[in-house]
């Protein structure tokens, strides 16, 4: 995400689902960690803020189902950032959201296609070696 003007992020809202290792719906507690990165030497190369939100994130069922090889309940998450994160104008920022759920129940972050409120760009660190151009 790139902001045309300097701003401060005080809260976040996102959506996701839970599924087990067999692809079935499941429920788990939340232990969220949110990190913000900025492009320096590549995509999401410099960490600029980390928030260990734990279970303080508010979770609510949206009443929608996500068709992902089955019907999974969609959840909305709301969190306050303390301290707020200051954002510089014109720089590309990335947000990383992890939910350290106990196995076998896994949390999945819902993404938006290009052309909606998001820009459709995402990174996936498949090799757990940090983000780079190959992870786009």
């Amino acid at each position: 995400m790139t902001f045309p003007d300097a701003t401060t992020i005080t809260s976040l809202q996102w959506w996701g689902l839970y599924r087990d290792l067999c692809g079935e719906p499941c429920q788990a507690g939340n232990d969220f960690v949110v990190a913000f990165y900025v492009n320096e030497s590549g995509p999401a190369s410099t960490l600029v803020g980390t928030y260990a939100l734990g279970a303080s994130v508010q979770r609510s069922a949206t009443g929608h189902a996500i068709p992902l090889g089955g019907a999974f309940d969609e959840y909305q998450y709301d969190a306050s950032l303390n301290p707020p994160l200051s954002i510089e104008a014109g720089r590309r920022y990335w947000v990383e959201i992890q939910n350290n759920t106990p196995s076998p129940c896994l949390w999945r972050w819902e993404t938006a296609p290009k052309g909606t409120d998001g820009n459709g760009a995402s990174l996936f660190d498949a090799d757990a070696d940090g983000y780079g151009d190959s992870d786009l």
Side-chain angles (χ1 to χ4, degrees):
M1 59 192 145
T2 304
F3 296 87
D5 299 311
T7 190
T8 301
I9 298 176
T10 59
S11 63
L12 285 178
Q13 184 176 73
W14 67 94
W15 294 262
L17 63 95
Y18 301 86
R19 67 186 277 186
D20 68 17
L21 297 173
C22 294
E24 297 296 323
C26 60
Q27 286 294 318
N30 293 315
D31 184 14
F32 282 101
V33 176
V34 174
F36 291 89
Y37 296 85
V38 67
N39 285 9
E40 291 289 346
S41 59
S45 58
T46 302
L47 180 67
V48 294
T50 302
Y51 297 85
L53 301 172
S56 70
V57 174
Q58 298 297 311
R59 173 177 71 185
S60 57
T62 66
H64 298 117
I66 301 171
L68 185 65
F72 294 90
D73 292 333
E74 177 186 60
Y75 294 92
Q76 177 180 308
Y77 304 89
D78 293 282
S80 296
L81 301 183
N82 189 15
L85 181 70
S86 295
I87 298 292
E88 296 177 30
R91 297 187 77 188
R92 165 108 9 168
Y93 287 84
W94 300 84
V95 60
E96 173 185 74
I97 302 175
Q98 296 180 28
N99 191 3
N100 301 309
T101 56
S103 186
C105 193
L106 306 171
W107 175 78
R108 296 290 183 244
W109 187 4
E110 189 176 349
T111 59
K114 188 172 185 168
T116 62
D117 290 89
N119 65 8
S122 63
L123 295 170
F124 179 72
D125 186 15
D127 300 325
D129 61 353
Y131 298 112
D133 291 330
S134 65
D135 295 314
L136 280 171

